[in-house]
Amino acid sequence: MFRLIVFICIFLHVSCGAKENSTSMALMQTKDSSGVKTAGLPEQGEITELGIVREVEDSGYPFATVTIEFPERKFKETFTINMEEVEQASMTKLKSYVGKYVKFRYTSELTYALLDMYYNSKSIFGSEAAPEGEGIKTMEGVLYGAESVTSGDLPGEISIFAEDGENIYFQYFITDEMVAVNEKKVTGFYDTRVIHTIQAIQLSN
């Protein structure tokens, strides 16, 4: 009789444990599936804000620059938007938001902005003097990525590779002058900027 009772207890314990493990596995699978991107929901790193659109400028299709004011905090900020990547975004739509409150999501990214490039002590951009000012840096190295002139609406990507192994990438519309010095030693003048990019925007209720 005693053996029968022990057997029943062991059976119940194993059955409950199996059920509990099945439940745990189901929860793990649910958590894993939550990592799948869902349309309309903010991505990690996106910031949601509310502000008044003050100005919209064409930056060359598909880009536009949107100036948004935050009255409560008493400042304005400039944002970039790629109208091909944001749902229902167009110049007409964006300009209709001027003077109105909008709710929008955006990301911020630190980028390097190429200001000028020198080859043999001469600006290939045609500048008479090298850029000066606080925050402007220089990078001497071999230019890569300028094999051909940029033909589309989006900038190309070039890099300057220094002898110490440092490599900086720039987004830039590649010109004939840059192609001519590709894979040659140049000096780049640049600064660092924070680019705020709108991922979604709509009128605030």
Side-chain angles (χ1 to χ4, degrees), residues 112 139 142 144 158-162 164-170:
Y112 298 107
M139 173 77 166
V142 178
Y144 291 104
I158 61 171
S159 66
I160 297 177
F161 196 89
D164 62 3
E166 185 179 5
N167 192 19
I168 296 182
Y169 289 85
F170 302 95

Side-chain angles (χ1 to χ4, degrees), residues 26-192:
L27 288 172
M28 288 174 65
Q29 289 172 356
T30 302
K31 288 179 181 178
D32 289 344
S33 65
S34 68
V36 178
K37 180 179 178 181
T38 304
L41 295 180
E43 292 292 302
Q44 186 176 2
E46 289 186 358
I47 302 167
T48 301
E49 280 285 7
L50 190 70
I52 301 174
V53 176
R54 290 303 183 194
E55 189 176 5
V56 177
E57 293 181 297
D58 187 349
S59 301
Y61 186 84
F63 295 100
T65 301
V66 183
T67 302
I68 298 179
E69 180 183 4
F70 304 94
E72 295 79 7
R73 285 169 279 176
K74 298 180 180 179
F75 79 97
K76 297 178 182 178
E77 188 60 79
T78 300
F79 298 84
T80 297
I81 184 170
N82 184 336
M83 293 175 284
E84 288 186 346
E85 294 183 354
V86 177
E87 187 177 357
Q88 297 182 349
S90 66
M91 284 300 296
T92 302
K93 192 81 169 179
L94 293 172
K95 287 186 176 182
S96 72
Y97 293 161
V98 174
K100 301 174 183 177
Y101 267 98
V102 293
K103 182 178 181 181
F104 65 102
R105 299 198 313 266
Y106 72 96
T107 56
S108 295
E109 180 183 10
L110 186 66
T111 63
Y112 298 107
L114 183 64
L115 306 176
D116 205 342
M117 186 180 293
Y118 271 58
Y119 175 69
N120 285 342
S121 303
K122 184 178 180 180
S123 170
I124 67 169
F125 294 169
S127 305
E128 294 183 1
E132 295 181 349
E134 185 178 354
I136 294 179
K137 304 177 181 66
T138 61
M139 173 77 166
E140 188 176 279
V142 178
L143 174 66
Y144 291 104
E147 290 87 1
S148 59
V149 174
T150 304
S151 58
D153 297 322
L154 300 178
E157 183 177 73
I158 61 171
S159 66
I160 297 177
F161 196 89
E163 291 182 354
D164 62 3
E166 185 179 5
N167 192 19
I168 296 182
Y169 289 85
F170 302 95
Q171 299 292 319
Y172 207 88
F173 286 92
I174 300 169
T175 63
D176 288 318
E177 291 78 11
M178 297 172 77
V179 173
V181 296
N182 190 50
E183 297 189 4
K184 296 180 181 179
K185 194 171 184 178
V186 299
T187 300
F189 294 80
Y190 69 96
D191 65 8
T192 55

